[in-house]
Amino acid sequence: MTYLPPAAAYAHIKNYLKEGLSAGRWPPGTLMPSESELVTQFSVSRMTANRAVRELQAEGLVERVQGVGTFATQPYRASSTLTIRDLHDEITERGHRHRSEVHLARAEAVSETLAQRMGLPAGSEVFHTLIVHSENGVPLLCEDRYVNPARAPDYLSVDFTRTTPTNYLLTVAPLWEAQYSIEAQLPTAEEAQLLGVKPSEPCLIVVRRTESQGSPITLARLVHPGSRYTIEGSFKP
Amino acid sequence: MTYLPPAAAYAHIKNYLKEGLSAGRWPPGTLMPSESELVTQFSVSRMTANRAVRELQAEGLVERVQGVGTFATQPYRASSTLTIRDLHDEITERGHRHRSEVHLARAEAVSETLAQRMGLPAGSEVFHTLIVHSENGVPLLCEDRYVNPARAPDYLSVDFTRTTPTNYLLTVAPLWEAQYSIEAQLPTAEEAQLLGVKPSEPCLIVVRRTESQGSPITLARLVHPGSRYTIEGSFKP
DNA sequence: CAGTGGTCTAGACCACTCG
DNA sequence: GAGTGGTCTAGACCACTGT
């Protein structure tokens, strides 16, 4: 979106509708102008009006029902774009030094519960890594990760002091889907020791499971010391 | 998107490009097919090819540069849609009972630091509420909130045992922008007491600042007991 | 200059929903 | 049947980038 001749017509229409929504005309659930109304009101072709409304739909501001009309949405779903970044990039972008310590990297037989959580057949093998990431020498993340060998057969041969599992897995299987949970917990004794924090230090724990095209890729438990790490973000509707 | 005649042409093209990206053709940064190439390859009009590529751009899968071409993106930005839900809806959707206890609701003069954090002029007044939300009688959230009176003059007269501040503020000022941070911390002594947890219990703390059209709306500190609450979500690229 | 993306038009056909 | 959204076309003009 670099080309903005004083203003594109579809953008005009989008603005008009957005401001109207913001101002409370068209309360949630009410009918909004139809495409043909916009066509006459703004003297544009239908494709242009359509694009404006379709983009609002993609942004979640309106709902459209074929044969019926366009409706303002209940905006409590204020969805946002949470950017999951690779910790390595985050650190180096701050101009700091990132280092990884690999404490474990091996193949294991899956336990029953793990097989279930990952969606793997019982009795199969998984790759298991335990890596501590630090920023300028300060431990920032303890990453306990299981990987589906079928999706990343060379995983164990990767040098994780040079790249991160996240980064590597993105090259092997881009375009994934993920479920995550974020919670506050005390670390396990081992995690506390690896991170160099007291066992009583609250930690921010992200559990993330990713899959691609229906088959699981990885399950990771990311433990951050609460005193050293926060997730930040912003969103616009 | 209810109407899918066997398959829309633009969707065909999107799929073709997505699968190619997923398969590793067009590694990150490389040039992708131009619109005119897609036009001949798929026998469609340029508008149709354009729509396919434009939607991929909106999804963050490609970058486009006018006069140059379309490029595959570095996918480490795996952006997602984090849905900020109203706790009341979340609880009632589980079939449980939500109750709010209002511990504080008054106007105050802003402190200097608060004025700065909210982006308000020093010396002005703000509304301040402190509400504890519980699910089936168990405290789940301690909500400490400051509100800009200019944006919600009737805020203090709202009955917060019947609606939530989030809900009310959405009706007053829809379409907002927000910055948030998520961290793990110990609660303050007051918060621990209000939530009925030990002061040593890790808490998930979300600090959210919202504004709309450049003027601040509210600043909230949401404290959840770590043992009772997790943020969950999923995303697809 | 040729090639790219950014936008727009004036039609068109279709599927769906409602009265 | 009238009105809605969903899609598509075959052109067009423009701005930008490279060589």
Side-chain angles (χ1 to χ4, degrees):
Chain A
M1 296 246 188
T2 56
Y3 169 48
L4 302 186
Y10 82 91
H12 263 141
I13 303 178
K14 272 181 74 174
N15 269 341
Y16 164 75
L17 294 173
K18 272 194 179 183
E19 280 168 15
L21 285 167
S22 169
R25 192 175 357 173
W26 314 308
T30 57
L31 190 61
M32 298 189 55
S34 72
E35 293 188 357
S36 59
E37 283 172 326
L38 295 172
V39 163
T40 63
Q41 181 174 347
F42 288 89
S43 305
V44 295
S45 77
R46 209 193 124 203
M47 277 300 275
T48 302
N50 175 274
R51 175 169 175 185
V53 183
R54 185 156 36 79
E55 292 194 0
L56 289 182
Q57 180 187 29
E59 294 171 25
L61 296 181
V62 304
E63 278 167 6
R64 318 194 73 186
V65 183
Q66 189 173 140
V68 182
T70 302
F71 301 87
T73 56
Q74 305 285 345
Y76 55 69
R77 309 164 299 82
S79 64
S80 84
T81 57
L82 166 65
T83 305
I84 296 291
R85 312 222 21 214
D86 188 45
L87 187 64
H88 174 80
D89 300 333
E90 214 175 294
I91 290 173
T92 54
E93 230 170 64
R94 286 197 277 261
H96 291 173
R97 178 172 40 86
H98 170 245
R99 216 191 55 200
S100 301
E101 239 174 50
V102 181
H103 288 265
L104 187 73
R106 67 179 185 204
E108 294 178 3
V110 289
S111 69
E112 198 173 320
T113 61
L114 181 62
Q116 217 163 25
R117 291 187 62 198
M118 283 195 67
L120 284 175
S124 51
E125 256 199 351
V126 287
F127 297 149
H128 184 188
T129 54
L130 181 60
I131 300 175
V132 174
H133 301 263
S134 57
E135 173 171 5
N136 286 349
V138 179
L140 214 58
L141 165 63
C142 178
E143 174 188 7
D144 193 358
R145 182 182 292 275
Y146 295 92
V147 172
N148 179 0
R151 299 303 300 268
D154 299 329
Y155 181 72
L156 289 182
S157 64
V158 176
D159 180 1
F160 287 123
T161 63
R162 304 193 59 88
T163 185
T164 61
T166 301
N167 223 341
Y168 174 73
L169 291 172
L170 274 169
T171 68
V172 168
L175 288 190
W176 55 27
E177 305 175 14
Q179 303 100 44
Y180 62 88
S181 73
I182 304 172
E183 49 194 301
Q185 275 182 14
L186 294 179
T188 67
E190 185 191 18
E191 288 161 353
Q193 189 231 313
L194 289 171
L195 289 169
V197 300
K198 289 179 295 190
S200 61
E201 157 118 11
C203 285
L204 193 63
I205 298 181
V206 178
V207 176
R208 192 155 76 222
R209 179 182 177 282
T210 67
E211 64 179 31
S212 167
Q213 293 147 10
S215 92
I217 301 174
T218 180
L219 177 68
R221 171 183 163 95
L222 311 173
V223 182
H224 299 273
S227 58
R228 300 176 193 158
Y229 191 80
T230 59
I231 298 175
E232 289 183 356
S234 65
F235 49 91
K236 310 193 205 12
Chain B
M1 295 246 186
T2 55
Y3 170 45
L4 303 186
Y10 82 91
H12 263 142
I13 302 178
K14 273 182 74 174
N15 270 339
Y16 164 75
L17 295 173
K18 272 194 178 182
E19 279 167 16
L21 286 167
S22 169
R25 192 171 3 170
W26 314 307
T30 58
L31 190 61
M32 297 188 57
S34 72
E35 293 188 358
S36 59
E37 284 172 324
L38 294 172
V39 163
T40 62
Q41 182 175 344
F42 288 90
S43 306
V44 295
S45 76
R46 208 192 125 204
M47 277 301 273
T48 303
N50 175 273
R51 174 169 176 184
V53 183
R54 185 157 37 79
E55 292 195 359
L56 289 183
Q57 180 187 29
E59 294 171 25
L61 296 180
V62 304
E63 279 167 6
R64 317 194 73 186
V65 184
Q66 188 173 141
V68 184
T70 302
F71 302 88
T73 55
Q74 306 284 347
Y76 56 70
R77 314 153 298 79
S79 64
S80 82
T81 57
L82 167 64
T83 306
I84 296 291
R85 312 216 26 210
D86 189 46
L87 186 65
H88 174 79
D89 299 334
E90 214 176 292
I91 290 173
T92 54
E93 232 169 63
R94 287 197 276 261
H96 291 174
R97 178 173 39 86
H98 170 246
R99 218 191 53 199
S100 301
E101 239 174 52
V102 181
H103 288 264
L104 186 72
R106 67 179 184 203
E108 294 178 2
V110 288
S111 69
E112 199 173 320
T113 60
L114 181 61
Q116 217 163 25
R117 291 187 62 198
M118 283 194 69
L120 285 175
S124 52
E125 255 200 352
V126 289
F127 297 149
H128 184 188
T129 53
L130 181 61
I131 301 175
V132 174
H133 301 262
S134 56
E135 173 171 6
N136 285 351
V138 179
L140 213 59
L141 165 62
C142 178
E143 174 188 7
D144 193 358
R145 182 183 292 273
Y146 296 91
V147 172
N148 180 0
R151 300 303 299 270
D154 299 329
Y155 181 71
L156 289 183
S157 65
V158 176
D159 179 2
F160 288 123
T161 63
R162 304 192 61 87
T163 185
T164 61
T166 301
N167 223 342
Y168 174 71
L169 291 172
L170 274 169
T171 68
V172 168
L175 287 191
W176 56 29
E177 306 176 14
Q179 303 100 45
Y180 61 88
S181 74
I182 304 172
E183 50 195 302
Q185 273 183 13
L186 294 179
T188 66
E190 185 192 17
E191 288 162 352
Q193 189 229 315
L194 289 171
L195 289 168
V197 300
K198 289 179 293 189
S200 60
E201 157 120 10
C203 285
L204 192 63
I205 299 182
V206 178
V207 176
R208 193 156 74 223
R209 179 182 176 284
T210 66
E211 64 178 30
S212 168
Q213 294 148 9
S215 93
I217 302 174
T218 180
L219 177 69
R221 171 183 163 95
L222 311 173
V223 182
H224 300 273
S227 58
R228 300 176 194 158
Y229 190 80
T230 59
I231 298 175
E232 290 182 356
S234 65
F235 50 91
K236 311 195 208 356

